[in-house]
């Protein structure tokens, strides 16, 4: 919504007109991220797995609302980070991505689960034959993906209100896990995030697999964000390998794969996720917000077209948020020649949120400003039928009725 403000003076004027509860940065009550912690008994892995699941607050106007899902590896480290990013970026005064369910997957045996092949070759290209080598258990990555695809995702879909769009995010070994999934089971997720993927694994196994698998006829409507940083001693191989992977994707010009590569030379392997996960979310949902549009052209038709495009891109029906449309309509009311556009947005809101007293009250205000008292009265009565305790609406109804 902020994209539509032309200058600071206009913004200040709009703030003065906006109800306090709808103004951006109104210091909402702090609520730390809370999560369901479940134990899922896995037949595939032959063990119990702890899972963290964050769900957005219940939408009282849309109690049946469903959400896309982000699955993040290394859940003990990255779950709360991703939940906070998504919670902030989806706030109604930010609104650059949808609210999401976040599923964090902590590790039991990280090397086993997050490597695609068995290998004892370390990142220096030398075999680790020590008795306590962490590489001995490697190679369970495909089995781990089977656990996610046949046990974890079905559990989440059965117990939570999910949409079909899903994101798979991982760092380091987790990065090669998400890429392995894209290459071998691309339809499991709609978008993939690979932060500093360990392409050195097994003498570049996944780079060879990518060269084989990434073709125009294999990838349809997928997104991937991948990155690396200053990786220290392993920097040359990490950075060179990321450039190789990026070259495979860019030279093939795969029509069905929307991709972005980012390099963070000022960050280390362990600080990079702070920036990269944020950038990845902004890339995946970079088209979420309404584009800048002249007030005289910004009406319900334009908004509906935008959200229809989002629905097609993400594979589920995306509804314009009520509060954002209310605020946008209030802005349009202040613009010369845009009152009818504001009314069209508010009429759309009453259709999308028929249980919202606010939607009908705001529409009544717009009708009254246009001089259509009959329709204003109808809207105020509808708002009071939904919420009889609205004293300000009662007063508006009385004034509108007296003037008819």
């Amino acid at each position: 919504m902020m994209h539509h403000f032309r200058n600071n003076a206009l913004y200040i004027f709009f703030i003065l007109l906006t109800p306090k509860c709808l103004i951006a940065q109104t210091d909402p009550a702090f609520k730390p991220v809370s999560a369901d912690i479940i134990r899922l008994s896995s037949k595939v892995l032959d063990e119990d797995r702890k899972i963290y699941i964050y769900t957005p607050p219940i939408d009282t106007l849309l109690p049946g609302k469903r959400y896309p899902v982000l699955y993040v590896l290394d859940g003990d480290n990255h779950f709360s980070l991703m939940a906070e990013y998504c919670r902030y970026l989806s706030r109604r005064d930010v609104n650059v991505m949808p609210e999401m369910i976040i599923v964090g997957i902590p590790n039991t045996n990280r090397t086993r689960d997050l490597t695609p092949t068995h290998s004892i070759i370390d990142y220096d290209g030398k075999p680790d034959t020590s008795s306590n080598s962490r590489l001995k258990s490697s190679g369970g990555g495909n089995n781990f993906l089977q656990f996610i695809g046949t046990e974890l995702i079905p559990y989440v879909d059965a117990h939570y209100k999910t949409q079909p769009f899903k994101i798979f995010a991982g760092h380091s070994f987790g990065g090669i896990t998400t890429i392995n999934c894209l290459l071998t089971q691309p339809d499991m997720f709609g978008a993939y995030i690979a932060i500093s993927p360990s392409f050195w694994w097994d003498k570049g196994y996944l780079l060879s697999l990518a060269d084989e698998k990434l073709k125009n006829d294999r990838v349809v409507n997928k997104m991937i964000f991948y990155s690396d940083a200053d990786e220290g001693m392993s920097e040359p191989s990490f950075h060179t390998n990321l450039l190789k992977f990026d070259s495979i994707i860019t030279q093939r010009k795969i029509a069905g794969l929307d991709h972005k590569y980012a390099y963070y030379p000022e960050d280390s392997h362990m600080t990079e996720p702070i920036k990269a996960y944020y950038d990845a979310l902004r890339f995946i949902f970079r088209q979420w917000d309404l584009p800048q549009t002249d007030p005289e052209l910004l009406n319900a038709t334009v908004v509906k077209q935008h959200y229809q495009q989002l629905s097609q891109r993400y594979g589920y029906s995306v509804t314009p948020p009520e509060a954002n449309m209310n605020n946008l309509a209030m802005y349009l009311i202040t613009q010369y020649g845009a009152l009818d556009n504001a009314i069209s947005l508010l009429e759309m809101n009453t259709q999308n949120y028929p249980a919202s007293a606010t939607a009908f009250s705001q529409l009544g205000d717009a009708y009254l400003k246009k001089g259509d008292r009959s329709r204003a009265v109808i809207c105020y009565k509808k708002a009071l039928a939904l919420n009889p305790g609205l004293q300000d609406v009662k007063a508006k109804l009385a004034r509108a009725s007296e003037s008819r």
Side-chain angles (χ1 to χ4, degrees), residues 101-149:
I101 294 170
I102 314 299
V103 178
I105 311 172
N107 301 307
T108 55
N109 186 326
R110 188 173 188 269
T111 300
R112 178 197 68 189
D113 292 340
L114 303 188
T115 53
T117 58
H118 177 70
S119 174
I120 60 169
I121 306 298
D122 62 22
Y123 64 78
D124 288 325
K126 300 176 182 179
D128 184 353
T129 58
S130 60
S131 59
N132 62 345
S133 170
R134 69 185 180 111
L135 305 182
K136 284 184 178 180
S137 63
S138 62
N142 291 321
N143 200 46
F144 183 66
L145 291 179
Q146 183 182 351
F147 155 69
I148 292 175

Side-chain angles (χ1 to χ4, degrees), residues 177-376:
T177 300
T178 63
I179 289 175
N180 185 40
C181 187
L182 172 64
L183 298 178
T184 61
Q185 302 181 56
D187 292 335
M188 192 181 297
F189 295 91
Y192 296 82
I193 301 172
I195 309 304
S196 281
S198 303
F199 279 126
W200 58 264
W201 181 260
D202 195 4
K203 300 180 180 179
Y205 166 79
L206 276 178
L207 287 174
S208 298
L209 189 64
D211 189 46
E212 173 190 343
K213 296 287 189 180
L214 287 179
K215 301 176 182 178
N216 258 316
D217 60 346
R218 285 186 54 85
V219 183
V220 179
N221 196 27
K222 303 297 174 186
M223 291 173 267
I224 182 171
F225 177 98
Y226 45 98
S227 66
D228 68 315
D230 180 352
E231 309 290 344
M233 293 179 63
S234 55
E235 160 69 21
S237 63
F238 256 93
H239 191 55
T240 300
N241 287 336
L242 262 292
L243 292 176
K244 289 179 180 178
F245 182 70
D246 183 55
S247 178
I248 291 172
I249 291 179
T250 54
Q251 290 182 10
R252 299 278 171 84
K253 297 181 180 179
I254 302 169
L257 185 61
D258 190 6
H259 61 92
K260 181 176 182 178
Y261 167 51
Y263 178 43
Y264 303 92
E266 296 182 358
D267 281 277
S268 69
H269 187 71
M270 297 306 293
T271 64
E272 175 196 2
I274 304 296
K275 293 180 180 178
Y277 277 135
Y278 170 85
D279 288 344
L281 292 171
R282 298 291 279 123
F283 164 70
I284 291 170
F285 295 108
R286 66 190 185 279
Q287 298 174 344
W288 193 261
D289 199 13
L290 278 167
Q292 292 187 19
T293 307
D294 189 290
E296 293 184 6
L297 303 176
L298 184 58
N299 55 32
T301 299
V302 171
V303 171
K304 287 176 181 178
Q305 288 175 347
H306 175 76
Y307 281 89
Q308 286 169 357
Q309 290 171 355
L310 293 183
S311 300
Q312 183 177 6
R313 181 173 178 80
Y314 298 106
Y316 69 97
S317 180
V318 183
T319 304
E322 181 202 10
N324 294 78
M325 295 302 105
N326 276 340
N327 283 352
L328 187 54
M330 291 175 64
Y331 161 67
L332 291 178
I333 286 174
T334 70
Q335 302 303 294
Y336 178 79
L339 177 58
D340 286 341
N341 290 349
I343 289 174
S344 74
L345 293 182
L346 295 169
E347 289 174 340
M348 178 186 68
N349 251 2
T350 61
Q351 296 165 6
N352 291 336
Y353 301 91
S356 171
T358 300
F360 284 96
S361 176
Q362 296 275 17
L363 179 56
D365 292 347
Y367 280 140
L368 199 60
K369 185 172 182 62
K370 189 177 181 180
D372 193 338
R373 299 184 181 277
S374 296
R375 289 188 177 181

Side-chain angles (χ1 to χ4, degrees), residues 65 230 403:
K65 185 176 179 179
D230 180 352
S403 302

